[in-house]
Amino acid sequence: MIDIQLLEQELDIRACVDFVSAPEAGGINVFIGTVRNQTQGRAVIRLEFEAYAPMAVSEMRKIAATALGRWPVQRIAVHHRVGSLGIGEVPVVIAVGSAHRQAAFEACQYVIDTLKQTVPIWKKEIFEGGEVWVAAHP
Amino acid sequence: MKINVLAFGIAREILGGPQRQITLPEGATVADLRRLLETEAPGLKRLRSWAVAVNSEYAENALALQPGDEIAVIPPVSGG
């Protein structure tokens, strides 16, 4: 089972954990992405996330479906936030429920790594006196 | 055919807005669209890379565009 959400409000970590909780699960692996206070020594004020919403949702669903097919995991929740986020706020939560922990760790890492490569979501770092679209230029 | 192109992230800034209407000959492909956009907006060439999505799927260069397709310029993604 898969739960994909793209949200403008604060993410509910508990909702992700609840979605992947099941009697047959022996472990739940959760990745929580947070906004870091600096990039290469430069102080970050906030991050602004935007998405191509319908495609972002369909790409996240594809990644979760691939993970379900590749590892013996039963449930995956992927919630991603858009909008303006301050330091310490949570742009992404991934939860994977599995009978055994090894598969949950591996599937969770696959989902976050692939999300960063393929899902059409962009973040702009806002610094004191400047801003940069992350990863845009070589 | 007239085609409406959506642009996101830094591509929105390079193209000067969230949508841009362009005209391509019937049967034009994604490769034709890329050439036209890079001519009209050379800033695209300075990106690490950029992709085209047609109807919310990443599209290969050879794909022929149809009137009414939803087309988007996808600059390097940075979610998570």
Side-chain angles (χ1 to χ4, degrees), chain A residues 49-52 54-55 58-59 62 80 91-92 112 115-124 133-138, chain B residues 6-10 12-14 43 46-49 53 55-58 70-80:
Chain A
F49 287 82
E50 70 174 66
Y52 177 18
M55 184 174 172
S58 69
E59 289 292 322
K62 275 187 211 169
H80 204 297
V92 65
I112 183 61
L115 181 152
K116 284 173 166 283
Q117 291 164 6
T118 66
V119 176
I121 296 175
W122 300 272
K123 62 174 166 258
K124 187 155 70 171
W133 285 103
V134 174
H137 291 106
Chain B
L6 306 177
F8 297 93
I10 194 170
R12 175 166 43 75
E13 296 177 359
I14 292 170
R46 290 192 286 275
L47 296 177
R48 184 190 301 270
S49 64
N55 301 324
S56 292
E57 297 276 348
Y58 285 106
E70 181 168 294
I71 293 166
V73 173
I74 309 288
V77 301
S78 53

